[in-house]
Amino acid sequence: IKDCLEQENLRYKYQDVEIPWIQTKPKTPKARKVEKKVAKKKLVGTTEFPIILDKTVQVLVKRPKTKSRSKREKEDKEEILIISGIELERGALVKFDVFINDEDEVGPESSEFAGSFTNVPHKHGKKDKKIKTCLKLGITDILEDLDAEDDDDVLVTIVPIDSGREKEVVTIEGIEIEFD
């Protein structure tokens, strides 16, 4: 068997081919118009927590530090979006996507896409029916791509894909941004 693990022993060698898509990022959106951005953020207003995740939710989140950071500072400390106190039924199928400074129609292929939360239903283990967890997403690169590094706050959009059934509700206790 050990002879088969080395390609050269089989007199076979794969061609060295460049893989161009490995280091590529999604195309960044066109530069945002300041008036549109400010108007959209004003429409959101303030959000009362806890949030029941039964529809798309937009929350304006204050950033901890708004001055431009150097490349070295960005490498040292990642800006982290924390969605805390996600409470759900242990046996519920739950999935939601998180977007930053959402512009009209976006999907996982957009640069505004920050990540997803998924709970696969399982009924074994602890007797607790409810579980409480959090989601942490690195957003430094996203803010850089969106040219939003100097913004005082960020518009976070949570889109429920599947948030349980009628009896199984998902609640979120808070959303904040901090440095790791």
Side-chain angles (χ1 to χ4, degrees):
I1 293 176
K2 74 176 183 175
D3 294 335
C4 295
L5 297 177
E6 301 275 334
Q7 299 174 39
E8 291 79 21
N9 293 344
L10 297 172
R11 297 187 182 141
Y12 189 84
K13 186 174 179 179
Y14 287 102
Q15 178 183 5
D16 287 332
V17 178
E18 190 176 319
I19 306 172
W21 53 265
I22 263 188
Q23 297 298 326
T24 60
K25 289 184 176 182
K27 291 182 181 177
T28 58
K30 295 178 184 170
R32 299 173 298 159
K33 294 182 180 174
V34 177
E35 303 85 30
K36 183 178 178 183
K37 178 178 72 170
V38 171
K40 188 168 188 174
K41 286 183 178 181
K42 283 183 181 175
L43 286 174
V44 174
T46 58
T47 305
E48 296 286 326
F49 286 99
I51 299 170
I52 296 176
L53 197 59
D54 57 351
K55 61 186 178 301
T56 299
V57 176
Q58 289 190 320
V59 180
L60 202 56
V61 181
K62 195 88 171 142
R63 291 182 60 207
K65 182 175 158 186
T66 58
K67 80 170 184 88
S68 293
R69 299 188 300 151
S70 68
K71 189 169 187 166
R72 174 93 171 131
E73 287 175 316
K74 290 176 190 172
E75 288 173 4
D76 289 345
K77 290 188 175 184
E78 175 80 18
E79 203 161 344
I80 306 286
L81 174 71
I82 301 172
I83 301 174
S84 58
I86 303 170
E87 190 171 338
L88 56 120
E89 295 285 330
R90 177 178 287 284
L93 170 63
V94 175
K95 182 178 186 326
F96 60 82
D97 293 335
V98 181
F99 298 92
I100 302 296
N101 283 355
D102 182 8
E103 301 265 346
D104 304 326
E105 290 185 33
V106 290
E109 72 281 353
S110 301
S111 62
E112 295 92 352
F113 178 73
S116 291
F117 174 86
T118 305
N119 181 61
V120 179
H122 53 285
K123 298 191 187 278
H124 64 282
K126 295 182 180 177
K127 303 244 183 215
D128 295 356
K129 290 243 178 200
K130 293 229 180 225
I131 57 174
K132 195 178 237 183
T133 187
C134 72
L135 175 64
K136 295 182 179 184
L137 303 168
I139 60 171
T140 301
D141 291 339
I142 295 170
L143 293 174
E144 192 174 299
D145 289 345
L146 292 170
D147 194 26
E149 296 170 291
D150 295 328
D151 290 359
D152 293 335
D153 40 39
V154 172
L155 182 63
V156 176
T157 304
I158 301 174
V159 181
I161 306 302
D162 194 340
S163 59
R165 307 294 176 252
E166 291 141 25
K167 292 180 183 177
E168 303 162 336
V169 292
V170 178
T171 58
I172 296 173
E173 289 181 0
I175 300 174
E176 63 182 348
I177 296 175
E178 57 185 49
F179 293 111
D180 184 28

